[in-house]
Amino acid sequence: MGLMNCNPKIAIVYSSITGNTAELAGMLLDCTRERGLDVRVFTPEQFCETDISSFDAVLVGTYTWGSGEIPYGMQAVYRHFEASPSKHLVTAVFGTGDSFFAEFCGAVDRFRDMLFVQTQLSAVLKVELRPEEKDVARCLKFVDAVISRIEAGDVTVHGRSR
């Protein structure tokens, strides 16, 4: 997969309570680095004070709370995107959950729906409970989908038209 002349800047922002989503975020971090991308990781609090427009793509990771709700710590991130439509920004959402519950990864679905409207949503990844070695291939496909969306020319790189 050939990247354009200007190396895209990627942000990963996530929240984890059991460590499963943190582990998945780590796998995605490894995959983005393997693809040679410039990537930074943020807590929700750090991200909401960051200028979204300085990134070409944002990967949002969340666990699901209660009956499919977005956890408290990720609500500010949700509102941040909702209040600042960024049609040029490529996004992707990932998370972990337990299919025992009626709304498996419901918070991922809620982010997906909002990001589809507000941004250039490129990928969604849901993992049952704890990520396993077999999920590495899915993570690479997820990252490749983000790269493909950036390369498609629908967006700007670091706020500059390509």
Side-chain angles (χ1 to χ4, degrees):
M1 176 157 295
L3 288 176
M4 70 242 32
N5 292 338
C6 190
N7 195 15
K9 290 177 68 176
I10 311 294
I12 298 175
V13 57
Y14 74 92
S15 183
S16 184
I17 197 167
T18 63
N20 293 342
T21 304
E23 191 170 335
L24 184 56
M27 291 170 82
L28 290 167
L29 176 62
D30 291 343
C31 291
T32 56
R33 287 184 173 155
E34 183 177 313
R35 296 294 194 242
L37 301 175
D38 178 7
V39 62
R40 290 186 53 202
V41 178
F42 296 92
T43 66
E45 299 78 21
Q46 293 169 324
F47 181 74
C48 289
E49 295 183 10
T50 301
D51 184 11
I52 290 178
S53 67
S54 64
F55 295 97
D56 301 303
V58 178
L59 313 183
V60 177
T62 185
Y63 63 95
T64 296
W65 190 251
S67 299
E69 288 95 31
I70 295 170
Y72 177 77
M74 290 299 288
Q75 290 175 8
V77 174
Y78 186 94
R79 288 190 304 271
H80 194 57
F81 276 106
E82 198 173 40
S84 309
S86 302
K87 276 310 232 182
H88 72 280
L89 183 66
V90 172
T91 58
V93 61
F94 64 94
T96 58
D98 187 341
S99 61
F100 171 81
F101 293 100
E103 234 184 296
F104 173 64
C105 290
V108 171
D109 293 337
R110 285 171 174 69
F111 264 101
R112 176 203 62 210
D113 295 347
M114 181 272 299
L115 292 172
F116 178 78
V117 172
Q118 304 288 48
T119 69
Q120 299 290 319
L121 181 66
S122 61
V124 177
L125 176 61
K126 297 179 184 180
V127 171
E128 175 81 18
L129 299 174
R130 185 169 187 225
E132 299 176 13
E133 188 62 34
K134 67 180 181 178
D135 294 311
V136 171
R138 295 176 66 211
C139 289
L140 285 168
K141 282 185 177 185
F142 180 87
V143 169
D144 288 346
V146 171
I147 293 168
S148 292
R149 189 64 178 255
I150 293 170
E151 288 180 336
D154 300 350
V155 299
T156 57
V157 173
H158 311 319
R160 297 182 307 276
S161 294
R162 297 189 296 130

